[in-house]
Amino acid sequence: LEDLYKKVVLDHYRRPRHREPLRAPDAEIPGLNPVCGDSIVLQVRWRERVLEEIAFFGRGCTLCLASGSILAEWVRGRDLDGVRAALAAFERRMAGDETGPPVPEAVAALAGVLAYPARIECVRLGWRALAEAVARAGDARGG
């Protein structure tokens, strides 16, 4: 897991996915980790109940930016319930629980951060912003 963790994190940090800001996002959620200084923006655009576009960008450590890239790659194209399920699966992994539905290899690799408790919030920052975007979309759409 440690080798996979390093490989996946470095790949997403060096070649981030979904880093270009969206032209007309439905929501823009800033995130800040005051402990280490990570500062991110997550933008989403919904089409009906489907996450049509997502962007994740900002300044942060390798873990924060790689995690945002992994997040965006996994949830783009999912419907609102699918994004909620992805968030729940991610949180299970961050709690050390490997049971439940399978997750992509890159998401599973993020659990390697559990060996470094002080860095867990770096990995979670973008996911917390996504949870806020989902809450807003659910409120706006009545569910």
Side-chain angles (χ1 to χ4, degrees), residues 83-132:
V83 175
R84 285 183 181 125
L87 284 163
F90 169 78
E91 284 302 327
R92 286 178 85 148
R93 290 295 174 126
M94 289 298 103
D97 182 355
E98 295 182 15
T99 64
V103 297
E105 183 178 74
V107 175
L110 288 174
V113 77
L114 295 175
Y116 311 97
R119 305 300 306 274
I120 293 171
E121 290 308 312
C122 299
V123 170
R124 277 194 167 130
L125 186 59
W127 298 83
R128 292 188 193 282
L130 179 61
E132 175 64 26

Side-chain angles (χ1 to χ4, degrees), residues 8-137:
V8 168
V9 167
L10 288 177
D11 177 54
H12 276 269
Y13 177 72
R14 290 179 180 146
R15 295 182 312 118
R17 286 68 153 176
H18 308 282
R19 290 291 292 272
E20 293 299 317
L22 303 181
R23 289 199 175 202
D26 293 321
E28 181 172 291
I29 314 294
L32 175 66
N33 182 346
V35 173
C36 68
D38 294 336
S39 175
I40 59 97
V41 174
L42 179 95
Q43 295 177 326
V44 295
R45 185 169 50 240
W46 301 94
R47 183 177 202 141
E48 300 188 17
R49 292 179 56 87
V50 174
L51 183 55
E52 180 181 54
E53 292 293 335
I54 184 169
F56 181 91
F57 51 91
R59 293 182 320 201
C61 68
T62 302
L63 290 171
C64 176
L65 298 178
S67 180
S69 174
I70 291 166
L71 166 156
E73 190 169 70
W74 189 29
V75 300
R76 182 175 178 257
R78 289 176 170 260
D79 67 15
L80 191 55
D81 291 334
V83 175
R84 285 183 181 125
L87 284 163
F90 169 78
E91 284 302 327
R92 286 178 85 148
R93 290 295 174 126
M94 289 298 103
D97 182 355
E98 295 182 15
T99 64
V103 297
E105 183 178 74
V107 175
L110 288 174
V113 77
L114 295 175
Y116 311 97
R119 305 300 306 274
I120 293 171
E121 290 308 312
C122 299
V123 170
R124 277 194 167 130
L125 186 59
W127 298 83
R128 292 188 193 282
L130 179 61
E132 175 64 26
V134 166
R136 289 183 189 182

